[in-house]
Coordinates of all heavy atoms in Angstrom, one line a residue:
M1 N -2.9 22.5 -72.8 CA -2.0 21.7 -73.6 C -0.6 22.3 -73.6 O 0.4 21.6 -73.7 CB -2.5 21.5 -75.0 CG -1.7 20.5 -75.8 SD -2.4 20.0 -77.3 CE -4.0 19.4 -76.9
L2 N -0.6 23.6 -73.6 CA 0.7 24.3 -73.6 C 1.5 24.1 -72.4 O 2.7 23.9 -72.4 CB 0.5 25.8 -73.9 CG 1.8 26.7 -74.0 CD1 2.6 26.2 -75.2 CD2 1.4 28.1 -74.2
T3 N 0.8 23.9 -71.3 CA 1.4 23.6 -70.0 C 2.1 22.2 -70.0 O 3.2 22.0 -69.5 CB 0.5 23.7 -68.8 OG1 -0.6 22.9 -69.0 CG2 0.0 25.1 -68.6
W4 N 1.4 21.3 -70.7 CA 2.0 19.9 -70.8 C 3.3 20.0 -71.7 O 4.3 19.4 -71.3 CB 1.0 19.0 -71.4 CG 0.0 18.4 -70.5 CD1 -1.3 18.8 -70.4 CD2 0.3 17.5 -69.4 NE1 -1.9 18.1 -69.3 CE2 -0.9 17.3 -68.7 CE3 1.4 16.8 -69.0 CZ2 -1.1 16.5 -67.7 CZ3 1.2 15.9 -67.9 CH2 0.0 15.8 -67.3
A5 N 3.3 20.8 -72.7 CA 4.4 20.9 -73.6 C 5.6 21.5 -72.8 O 6.7 21.1 -72.9 CB 4.1 21.8 -74.8
L6 N 5.3 22.6 -72.0 CA 6.3 23.2 -71.2 C 6.8 22.3 -70.1 O 8.0 22.3 -69.8 CB 5.8 24.5 -70.6 CG 5.5 25.6 -71.6 CD1 4.9 26.8 -70.9 CD2 6.8 26.1 -72.3
T7 N 5.9 21.5 -69.5 CA 6.4 20.5 -68.5 C 7.3 19.5 -69.1 O 8.4 19.2 -68.5 CB 5.1 19.8 -67.9 OG1 4.2 20.7 -67.4 CG2 5.5 18.8 -66.9
F8 N 7.0 18.9 -70.3 CA 7.9 18.0 -70.9 C 9.2 18.6 -71.3 O 10.3 18.0 -71.3 CB 7.2 17.3 -72.1 CG 6.4 16.1 -71.7 CD1 5.0 16.3 -71.7 CD2 6.9 14.9 -71.2 CE1 4.2 15.2 -71.3 CE2 6.1 13.9 -70.9 CZ 4.7 14.0 -70.8
L9 N 9.2 19.9 -71.7 CA 10.4 20.6 -72.0 C 11.3 20.7 -70.8 O 12.5 20.5 -70.9 CB 10.1 22.0 -72.6 CG 11.3 22.9 -72.9 CD1 12.1 22.2 -74.1 CD2 10.8 24.2 -73.4
V10 N 10.7 21.1 -69.7 CA 11.5 21.2 -68.4 C 12.1 19.8 -68.0 O 13.2 19.7 -67.6 CB 10.6 21.8 -67.3 CG1 11.3 21.7 -66.0 CG2 10.3 23.2 -67.6
V11 N 11.3 18.8 -68.1 CA 11.7 17.4 -67.8 C 12.9 17.1 -68.7 O 13.9 16.5 -68.3 CB 10.6 16.4 -67.9 CG1 11.1 15.0 -67.9 CG2 9.6 16.6 -66.8
A12 N 12.8 17.4 -70.0 CA 13.9 17.1 -71.0 C 15.2 17.9 -70.6 O 16.3 17.3 -70.7 CB 13.4 17.5 -72.4
L13 N 15.0 19.1 -70.2 CA 16.2 19.9 -69.9 C 16.9 19.4 -68.6 O 18.1 19.3 -68.6 CB 15.8 21.4 -69.7 CG 15.4 22.1 -71.0 CD1 14.9 23.5 -70.6 CD2 16.6 22.2 -72.0
I14 N 16.1 19.0 -67.6 CA 16.7 18.5 -66.4 C 17.3 17.1 -66.7 O 18.4 16.9 -66.2 CB 15.6 18.4 -65.3 CG1 15.1 19.8 -64.9 CG2 16.1 17.6 -64.1 CD1 13.9 19.8 -63.9
A15 N 16.7 16.3 -67.4 CA 17.2 15.0 -67.8 C 18.5 15.1 -68.6 O 19.5 14.4 -68.4 CB 16.2 14.1 -68.5
A16 N 18.5 16.1 -69.5 CA 19.8 16.3 -70.3 C 20.9 16.8 -69.4 O 22.1 16.4 -69.6 CB 19.5 17.3 -71.4
A17 N 20.6 17.7 -68.4 CA 21.6 18.2 -67.5 C 22.2 17.1 -66.6 O 23.4 17.1 -66.3 CB 21.0 19.3 -66.7
L18 N 21.3 16.1 -66.3 CA 21.8 15.0 -65.4 C 22.4 13.9 -66.2 O 22.9 12.9 -65.6 CB 20.6 14.5 -64.6 CG 20.1 15.5 -63.6 CD1 18.9 14.9 -62.9 CD2 21.1 16.0 -62.6
G19 N 22.3 13.9 -67.5 CA 23.0 12.9 -68.4 C 22.1 11.7 -68.8 O 22.6 10.7 -69.2
F20 N 20.8 11.9 -68.6 CA 19.9 10.8 -69.0 C 19.5 11.1 -70.5 O 18.4 11.7 -70.7 CB 18.7 10.8 -68.1 CG 19.0 10.5 -66.7 CD1 18.8 11.4 -65.7 CD2 19.5 9.2 -66.3 CE1 19.1 11.1 -64.4 CE2 19.8 8.9 -65.0 CZ 19.6 9.9 -64.0
G21 N 20.2 10.6 -71.4 CA 20.0 10.9 -72.8 C 18.7 10.4 -73.4 O 18.0 11.1 -74.1
G22 N 18.3 9.2 -73.0 CA 17.1 8.6 -73.6 C 15.8 9.3 -73.1 O 14.9 9.6 -73.8
I23 N 15.8 9.6 -71.8 CA 14.7 10.3 -71.2 C 14.6 11.7 -71.8 O 13.5 12.2 -72.1 CB 14.8 10.3 -69.7 CG1 14.7 8.8 -69.1 CG2 13.7 11.1 -69.1 CD1 14.9 8.7 -67.7
A24 N 15.7 12.3 -71.9 CA 15.7 13.7 -72.4 C 15.2 13.7 -73.8 O 14.4 14.6 -74.2 CB 17.1 14.3 -72.3
G25 N 15.7 12.8 -74.6 CA 15.2 12.8 -76.0 C 13.7 12.5 -76.2 O 13.1 13.1 -77.0
A26 N 13.3 11.6 -75.4 CA 11.8 11.2 -75.4 C 11.0 12.4 -74.9 O 10.0 12.8 -75.6 CB 11.5 10.0 -74.6
S27 N 11.4 13.1 -73.9 CA 10.6 14.2 -73.3 C 10.7 15.4 -74.3 O 9.6 16.1 -74.5 CB 11.2 14.6 -72.0 OG 11.0 13.6 -71.0
A28 N 11.8 15.6 -74.9 CA 11.9 16.7 -75.9 C 11.0 16.4 -77.1 O 10.3 17.3 -77.6 CB 13.3 16.9 -76.4
G29 N 10.9 15.1 -77.5 CA 10.1 14.8 -78.6 C 8.6 15.0 -78.3 O 7.8 15.5 -79.1
I30 N 8.2 14.6 -77.1 CA 6.8 14.8 -76.7 C 6.5 16.2 -76.6 O 5.4 16.7 -77.0 CB 6.6 14.0 -75.3 CG1 6.7 12.5 -75.5 CG2 5.2 14.4 -74.7 CD1 6.7 11.8 -74.2
A31 N 7.4 17.0 -76.1 CA 7.2 18.5 -76.0 C 7.0 19.1 -77.3 O 6.1 20.0 -77.5 CB 8.4 19.1 -75.2
K32 N 7.8 18.7 -78.3 CA 7.7 19.2 -79.7 C 6.3 18.9 -80.3 O 5.6 19.7 -80.9 CB 8.8 18.6 -80.6 CG 10.1 19.2 -80.3 CD 11.1 18.6 -81.3 CE 12.5 19.0 -81.0 NZ 13.5 18.3 -81.8
I33 N 5.9 17.6 -80.1 CA 4.6 17.2 -80.6 C 3.5 18.0 -80.0 O 2.6 18.4 -80.7 CB 4.4 15.7 -80.5 CG1 5.4 14.9 -81.4 CG2 3.0 15.2 -80.8 CD1 5.5 13.4 -81.1
L34 N 3.5 18.1 -78.7 CA 2.4 18.8 -78.0 C 2.4 20.3 -78.4 O 1.3 20.9 -78.5 CB 2.6 18.6 -76.5 CG 2.3 17.3 -75.9 CD1 2.6 17.2 -74.4 CD2 0.8 16.9 -76.1
F35 N 3.6 20.9 -78.5 CA 3.6 22.3 -78.9 C 3.0 22.4 -80.3 O 2.3 23.4 -80.6 CB 5.0 22.8 -78.9 CG 5.1 24.3 -79.3 CD1 4.6 25.2 -78.4 CD2 5.6 24.6 -80.5 CE1 4.7 26.6 -78.7 CE2 5.7 26.0 -80.8 CZ 5.2 26.9 -80.0
L36 N 3.3 21.5 -81.3 CA 2.8 21.6 -82.6 C 1.3 21.5 -82.6 O 0.6 22.2 -83.3 CB 3.4 20.6 -83.5 CG 4.9 20.9 -83.9 CD1 5.5 19.8 -84.7 CD2 5.0 22.2 -84.7
I37 N 0.8 20.5 -81.8 CA -0.7 20.4 -81.7 C -1.3 21.6 -81.1 O -2.3 22.1 -81.7 CB -1.0 19.1 -80.8 CG1 -0.6 17.9 -81.5 CG2 -2.5 19.1 -80.5 CD1 -0.7 16.6 -80.6
F38 N -0.7 22.2 -80.1 CA -1.2 23.5 -79.5 C -1.2 24.6 -80.6 O -2.2 25.3 -80.7 CB -0.4 23.9 -78.4 CG -0.6 25.3 -77.9 CD1 -1.7 25.6 -77.2 CD2 0.2 26.3 -78.3 CE1 -2.0 26.9 -76.7 CE2 0.0 27.6 -77.9 CZ -1.1 27.9 -77.1
L39 N -0.2 24.7 -81.4 CA 0.0 25.7 -82.4 C -1.1 25.5 -83.5 O -1.7 26.5 -83.9 CB 1.4 25.7 -83.0 CG 1.8 26.9 -83.8 CD1 1.8 28.1 -83.0 CD2 3.2 26.6 -84.4
V40 N -1.3 24.3 -83.9 CA -2.4 24.1 -84.9 C -3.7 24.4 -84.4 O -4.5 25.1 -85.1 CB -2.3 22.6 -85.4 CG1 -3.5 22.2 -86.2 CG2 -1.0 22.3 -86.2
L41 N -4.0 24.0 -83.2 CA -5.3 24.3 -82.6 C -5.5 25.8 -82.4 O -6.6 26.4 -82.6 CB -5.5 23.6 -81.2 CG -5.7 22.1 -81.3 CD1 -5.7 21.5 -79.9 CD2 -7.0 21.8 -82.0
F42 N -4.5 26.5 -82.1 CA -4.5 28.0 -81.9 C -4.9 28.7 -83.3 O -5.7 29.5 -83.4 CB -3.2 28.5 -81.4 CG -3.2 30.0 -81.2 CD1 -3.9 30.7 -80.3 CD2 -2.4 30.8 -82.1 CE1 -3.9 32.0 -80.1 CE2 -2.4 32.2 -82.0 CZ -3.1 32.8 -81.0
V43 N -4.2 28.2 -84.3 CA -4.4 28.8 -85.7 C -5.8 28.5 -86.1 O -6.5 29.4 -86.7 CB -3.4 28.3 -86.7 CG1 -3.7 28.7 -88.1 CG2 -2.0 28.9 -86.3
V44 N -6.3 27.3 -85.9 CA -7.6 26.9 -86.3 C -8.7 27.7 -85.6 O -9.7 28.2 -86.2 CB -7.9 25.4 -86.1 CG1 -9.3 25.0 -86.2 CG2 -7.0 24.6 -87.1
T45 N -8.4 27.9 -84.3 CA -9.4 28.8 -83.5 C -9.4 30.2 -84.0 O -10.5 30.8 -84.1 CB -8.9 28.7 -82.0 OG1 -8.9 27.4 -81.6 CG2 -9.9 29.5 -81.2
M46 N -8.3 30.8 -84.3 CA -8.2 32.1 -84.8 C -8.9 32.3 -86.2 O -9.6 33.2 -86.4 CB -6.8 32.6 -84.9 CG -6.1 32.9 -83.6 SD -6.9 34.3 -82.8 CE -7.4 33.4 -81.3
I47 N -8.7 31.3 -87.0 CA -9.4 31.3 -88.3 C -10.9 31.1 -88.1 O -11.7 31.9 -88.8 CB -8.9 30.2 -89.2 CG1 -7.4 30.5 -89.6 CG2 -9.7 30.0 -90.5 CD1 -6.7 29.4 -90.4
A48 N -11.3 30.3 -87.2 CA -12.8 30.1 -87.0 C -13.4 31.4 -86.4 O -14.5 31.7 -86.8 CB -13.0 28.9 -86.0
R49 N -12.7 32.1 -85.5 CA -13.2 33.3 -85.0 C -13.3 34.4 -86.1 O -14.3 35.2 -86.1 CB -12.3 33.8 -83.9 CG -12.5 33.0 -82.6 CD -11.6 33.6 -81.5 NE -11.8 35.0 -81.2 CZ -12.6 35.4 -80.2 NH1 -13.3 34.5 -79.5 NH2 -12.8 36.7 -80.0
A50 N -12.3 34.4 -87.0 CA -12.4 35.4 -88.1 C -13.5 35.1 -89.1 O -14.1 36.0 -89.6 CB -11.0 35.4 -88.8
V51 N -13.8 33.9 -89.3 CA -14.8 33.5 -90.2 C -16.2 33.8 -89.7 O -17.1 34.3 -90.4 CB -14.8 32.0 -90.6 CG1 -16.0 31.5 -91.3 CG2 -13.5 31.7 -91.4
R52 N -16.4 33.7 -88.4 CA -17.6 34.0 -87.7 C -17.8 35.5 -87.5 O -18.9 35.9 -87.1 CB -17.7 33.3 -86.4 CG -18.0 31.8 -86.5 CD -18.4 31.2 -85.2 NE -17.2 31.2 -84.3 CZ -17.3 30.8 -83.1 NH1 -18.4 30.3 -82.6 NH2 -16.2 30.8 -82.3
G53 N -16.8 36.3 -87.8 CA -17.0 37.8 -87.8 C -16.4 38.4 -86.5 O -16.5 39.6 -86.4
R54 N -15.9 37.6 -85.6 CA -15.3 38.2 -84.4 C -13.8 38.5 -84.7 O -13.1 37.8 -85.4 CB -15.3 37.2 -83.3 CG -16.7 36.9 -82.8 CD -16.7 35.9 -81.7 NE -18.0 35.6 -81.2 CZ -18.2 34.6 -80.3 NH1 -17.3 33.9 -79.8 NH2 -19.5 34.3 -80.0
P55 N -13.4 39.7 -84.2 CA -11.9 40.0 -84.5 C -11.0 39.1 -83.7 O -11.4 38.7 -82.6 CB -11.9 41.5 -84.0 CG -13.0 41.6 -83.0 CD -14.1 40.7 -83.5
P56 N -9.8 38.9 -84.1 CA -8.9 38.1 -83.4 C -8.5 38.8 -82.1 O -8.5 40.0 -82.0 CB -7.6 38.0 -84.3 CG -8.1 38.4 -85.6 CD -9.3 39.2 -85.4
V57 N -8.2 38.0 -81.1 CA -7.9 38.6 -79.8 C -6.5 39.3 -79.8 O -5.6 38.9 -80.4 CB -7.9 37.5 -78.7 CG1 -7.4 38.1 -77.3 CG2 -9.2 36.9 -78.6

């Protein structure tokens, strides 16, 4: 999922550099949402590992 967020970030940067404002804004929005989902899943996974007694990586 992090790779998708990075992909949309790169698409947004390229689109912004070429002057495509709508595409850049949409891609940046998607990248933000995917990154937040990734971050939440990462935190939940770390909490679940700590609760089960495994140390965080």
Side-chain angles (χ1 to χ4, degrees):
M1 186 171 306
L2 185 58
T3 56
W4 280 104
L6 292 175
T7 302
F8 277 105
L9 177 64
V10 169
V11 169
L13 291 173
I14 292 172
L18 295 176
F20 299 113
I23 295 172
S27 294
I30 292 171
K32 286 179 188 177
I33 291 170
L34 288 175
F35 181 74
L36 288 175
I37 291 171
F38 167 77
L39 193 61
V40 168
L41 288 175
F42 178 74
V43 170
V44 168
T45 303
M46 289 295 119
I47 291 172
R49 287 179 59 92
V51 168
R52 287 193 290 178
R54 295 182 180 170
V57 176

